[in-house]
């Protein structure tokens, strides 16, 4: 028999619970099953280009057609827009007039990594290496001494595009950044952690045998170029018109004796990209509001550039789609709602001091709704209104989606941003909704399977509402 006080506590207090305490064993199994395909996606889509090609491969079977501004569309039609093979927009036309607004989910498919410099290849001490320039926010010391794979494209002098993906198959060679042995690292160990490995020390080892010839110089480099020429038909100058990205070479794995978590490279933000994408595929055949899902590039470098959400490509797409119905784009945007689908930092018991416990997101407490990100006095963020928080909360609770709230660290600890502000600046109601992540931006990010499933359920509920 519960006391009067504990009954009152149940009624009045907010106390988020572990998802396992709220879900049936069948629901937990459904979440685990859902994550099998998610892990396959992580392995197939390690870069923004691979994410786009994986998504395009799957949507063509689902009846999506390339968006054509000259066509007319009706409820239930499914279209997509491929932005330069690095970002993609999917839309499902709803039954309500488009001037009443669309339902947007926006996730990013780029992740921190090591990009090759434009002129990357050199030989030193009879070893061949690639110079790199890191992309996004990384802790540089995390990148040496582990296997790396190489992904991307090379545009040859004649315009031919060569796709590169090496280091992922079991028989493939891998590459690595080397680190000093502890015996000789006395000086290095006195550096700050930030400088422990410097940007110009992130050089990738790619070969060590010379081309056998008496006259040639830089014979190890020559041997590598000769292998690359044979395999891809490229010459050294072709690196100038290439985008090659080094990422961790290992696949996604179950984490924990209970297999409750997933460890992988690139879960920020493919965990939200995949769940938003799946929800788009699985939403009602004819949703009431038109569904628009954006998988964007360049979030990790601040969303600038024509494949990032600080460019006009979303605005133009909405305007073009609106025009097919004889409506102004700004009318559609002004009535639209968006879940900015991005991850948040999960509370880490090893580093509790960076969070404020009552407002941190926790692994296994469900999808996290982040009212604002930013830094200092909420600078550089879109702070979702109480009204919009309320409407998202009602959708989640009506559909039994387990959710929690989260701040990005305690006040003045640091901060960060998402694409939310760029979409909000188009006069759209926006809030961040995503999955809590441990070791975010590291080569092995960890999420909970239950939270991942709840993110999918959250996007699906938003689209079907
Ligand atoms: Mn992110
Ligand atoms: Mn990030």
């Amino acid at each position: 028999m519960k006391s009067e006080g504990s009954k009152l506590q149940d009624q009045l207090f907010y106390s988020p619970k572990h998802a396992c305490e709220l879900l049936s064993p069948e629901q937990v199994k459904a979440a685990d099953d859902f994550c099998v395909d998610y892990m396959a996606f992580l392995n197939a889509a390690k870069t923004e280009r691979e994410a786009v090609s994986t998504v395009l491969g799957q949507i063509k079977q689902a009846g999506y057609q390339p968006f054509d501004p000259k066509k007319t569309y009706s409820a239930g039609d499914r279209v997509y827009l491929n932005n330069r093979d690095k970002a993609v927009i999917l839309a499902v036309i709803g039954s309500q007039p488009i001037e009443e607004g669309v339902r947007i989910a926006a996730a990013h498919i780029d992740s921190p990594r090591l990009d090759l410099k434009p002129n990357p290849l050199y030989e030193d001490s009879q070893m061949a290496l690639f110079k790199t320039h890191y992309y996004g926010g990384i802790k540089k010391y995390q990148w040496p001494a582990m296997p790396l794979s190489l992904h991307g494209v090379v545009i040859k002098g004649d315009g031919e595009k060569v796709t590169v993906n090496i280091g992922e198959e079991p028989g493939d060679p891998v590459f690595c950044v080397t680190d000093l042995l502890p015996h000789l690292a006395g000086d290095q160990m006195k550096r700050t952690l930030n400088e422990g490995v410097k940007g110009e020390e992130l050089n990738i080892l790619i070969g060590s045998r010379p081309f056998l010839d008496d006259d040639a110089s830089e014979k190890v480099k020559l041997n590598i170029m000769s292998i690359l020429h044979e395999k891809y038909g490229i010459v050294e100058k072709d690196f100038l018109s290439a985008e090659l990205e080094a990422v961790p070479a290992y696949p996604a794995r179950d984490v924990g004796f209970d297999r409750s978590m997933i460890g992988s490279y690139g879960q920020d933000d493919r965990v939200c990209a995949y769940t938003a994408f799946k929800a788009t595929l699985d939403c009602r055949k004819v949703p009431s509001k038109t569904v628009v899902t954006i998988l964007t590039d360049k979030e990790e470098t601040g969303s600038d550039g024509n494949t990032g959400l600080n460019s006009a490509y979303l605005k133009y797409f909405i305007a073009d789609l609106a025009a097919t119905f004889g409506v102004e784009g700004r009318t559609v945007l002004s009535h639209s709602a968006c879940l900015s689908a991005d991850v948040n930092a999960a509370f880490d018991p090893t580093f509790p001091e960076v969070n404020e416990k009552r407002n941190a997101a926790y692994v296994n407490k469900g999808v996290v709704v982040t009212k604002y990100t930013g830094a200092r006095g909420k600078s550089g963020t879109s702070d979702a209104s109480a009204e919009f928080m309320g409407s998202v909360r009602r959708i989640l609770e009506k559909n039994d989606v387990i959710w929690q709230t989260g701040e990005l660290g305690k006040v003045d600890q640091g901060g960060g941003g998402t694409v939310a502000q760029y979409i909000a600046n188009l006069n759209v109601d926006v809030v961040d909704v995503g999955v809590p992540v441990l070791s975010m931006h590291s080569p092995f990010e960890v999420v909970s399977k239950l939270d991942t499933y709840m993110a999918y359920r959250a996007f699906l509920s938003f689209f079907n509402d």
Side-chain angles (χ1 to χ4, degrees):
M1 206 25 208
K2 274 193 168 175
S3 74
E4 211 49 39
S6 59
K7 272 192 267 181
L8 203 57
Q9 268 185 346
D10 289 349
Q11 186 197 342
L12 299 181
F13 280 9
Y14 168 57
S15 44
K17 290 195 172 65
H18 192 295
C20 270
E21 295 168 35
L22 302 165
L23 294 170
S24 68
E26 293 74 35
Q27 288 169 312
V28 172
K29 167 109 180 17
D32 290 348
D33 290 346
F34 178 87
C35 287
V36 173
D37 284 347
Y38 166 51
M39 291 166 79
F41 179 82
L42 284 171
N43 298 338
K46 288 201 171 179
T47 65
E48 62 286 350
R49 286 178 187 273
E50 290 174 356
V52 168
S53 64
T54 304
V55 163
L56 292 183
Q58 293 189 20
I59 61 170
K60 281 178 187 157
Q61 297 147 15
Y64 282 78
Q65 300 291 328
F67 172 66
D68 179 352
K70 293 188 198 75
K71 279 195 178 155
T72 54
Y73 291 103
S74 50
D77 284 347
R78 294 175 179 240
V79 295
Y80 71 91
L81 179 108
N82 173 0
N83 181 0
R84 298 169 172 85
D85 294 334
K86 300 210 276 187
V88 63
I89 301 178
L90 312 177
V92 184
I93 310 301
S95 55
Q96 284 184 15
I98 199 157
E99 55 265 40
E100 290 174 24
V102 299
R103 287 269 156 114
I104 303 170
H108 67 92
I109 48 177
D110 61 320
S111 294
R113 59 182 190 246
L114 304 182
D115 285 348
L116 297 200
K117 290 194 185 193
N119 186 23
L121 177 61
Y122 69 103
E123 173 174 341
D124 194 337
S125 316
Q126 294 197 299
M127 284 179 278
L129 301 107
F130 279 148
K131 292 299 295 180
T132 69
H133 195 139
Y134 65 95
Y135 172 98
I138 63 166
K139 291 163 100 174
K140 293 184 270 284
Y141 71 83
Q142 292 177 335
W143 287 75
M146 66 159 174
L148 298 172
S149 56
L150 202 62
H151 302 244
V153 297
V154 183
I155 308 299
K156 301 202 307 195
D158 62 3
E160 189 198 338
K161 184 192 272 192
V162 180
T163 301
V164 175
N165 178 331
I166 185 161
E168 296 294 340
E169 295 303 317
D172 281 357
V174 294
F175 315 96
C176 64
V177 173
T178 55
D179 199 358
L180 267 180
L181 62 169
H183 317 65
L184 300 180
D187 291 336
Q188 183 195 28
M189 300 295 259
K190 290 188 196 116
R191 299 180 187 175
T192 62
L193 201 52
N194 184 35
E195 291 269 293
V197 175
K198 298 177 187 174
E200 290 293 356
E201 292 170 344
L202 292 171
N203 303 318
I204 300 177
L205 182 62
I206 57 163
S208 65
R209 281 188 189 168
F211 187 91
L212 293 177
D213 182 280
D214 287 339
D215 298 329
S217 60
E218 297 184 288
K219 290 179 209 170
V220 177
K221 172 179 165 179
L222 180 61
N223 193 42
I224 293 296
M225 246 358 283
S226 146
I227 292 167
L228 292 177
H229 188 254
E230 192 178 318
K231 188 171 165 66
Y232 300 110
I234 61 172
V235 297
E236 188 179 12
K237 199 173 181 184
D238 294 334
F239 284 119
L240 300 178
S241 46
E243 283 179 308
L244 293 166
E245 307 170 359
V247 301
Y250 40 74
R253 300 290 297 268
D254 283 347
V255 172
F257 288 115
D258 57 7
R259 297 178 177 268
S260 59
M261 297 165 283
I262 298 165
S264 171
Y265 165 72
Q267 300 202 77
D268 172 10
D269 183 32
R270 284 178 203 111
V271 68
C272 298
Y274 179 76
T275 48
F277 167 55
K278 273 304 263 190
T280 314
L281 288 183
D282 295 348
C283 77
R284 287 211 309 263
K285 261 184 128 52
V286 183
S288 44
K289 291 254 166 77
T290 291
V291 165
V292 176
T293 297
I294 309 146
L295 305 180
T296 196
D297 182 28
K298 293 282 176 275
E299 194 279 339
E300 294 296 359
T301 52
S303 293
D304 292 320
N306 56 16
T307 53
L309 269 182
N310 200 14
S311 90
Y313 84 91
L314 170 63
K315 192 170 125 185
Y316 291 167
F317 173 77
I318 296 286
D320 288 346
L321 182 63
T324 68
F325 294 93
V327 175
E328 292 278 355
R330 63 167 190 266
T331 312
V332 176
L333 285 166
S334 300
H335 295 95
S336 291
C338 171
L339 300 185
S340 163
D342 208 346
V343 298
N344 198 336
F347 180 85
D348 185 337
T350 303
F351 302 102
E353 62 280 1
V354 302
N355 281 296
E356 187 267 287
K357 278 193 153 184
R358 280 166 205 82
N359 287 281
Y362 293 82
V363 162
N364 282 316
K365 290 194 175 172
V367 64
V368 52
V369 180
T370 305
K371 190 173 182 296
Y372 52 85
T373 58
R376 303 179 302 280
K378 299 191 177 182
S379 173
T381 186
S382 146
D383 195 346
S385 69
E387 290 84 352
F388 190 57
M389 284 295 287
S391 79
V392 170
R393 174 185 167 191
R394 280 195 298 280
I395 292 171
L396 298 180
E397 291 183 349
K398 197 166 68 186
N399 292 284
D400 294 320
V401 177
I402 299 167
W403 71 285
Q404 58 182 324
T405 187
E407 274 193 316
L408 185 54
K410 68 184 183 191
V411 178
D412 288 340
Q413 180 68 41
T418 65
V419 301
Q421 54 183 319
Y422 305 110
I423 298 174
N425 290 347
L426 299 172
N427 198 29
V428 175
D429 276 318
V430 188
V431 69
D432 281 300
V433 173
V435 175
V437 179
L438 291 164
S439 303
M440 195 199 292
H441 282 210
S442 81
F444 196 70
E445 301 175 313
V446 176
V447 304
S448 138
K449 291 181 179 177
L450 297 177
D451 296 338
T452 302
Y453 187 58
M454 285 301 144
Y456 163 72
R457 296 269 322 280
F459 302 132
L460 191 61
S461 303
F462 180 63
F463 294 155
N464 284 343
D465 182 58

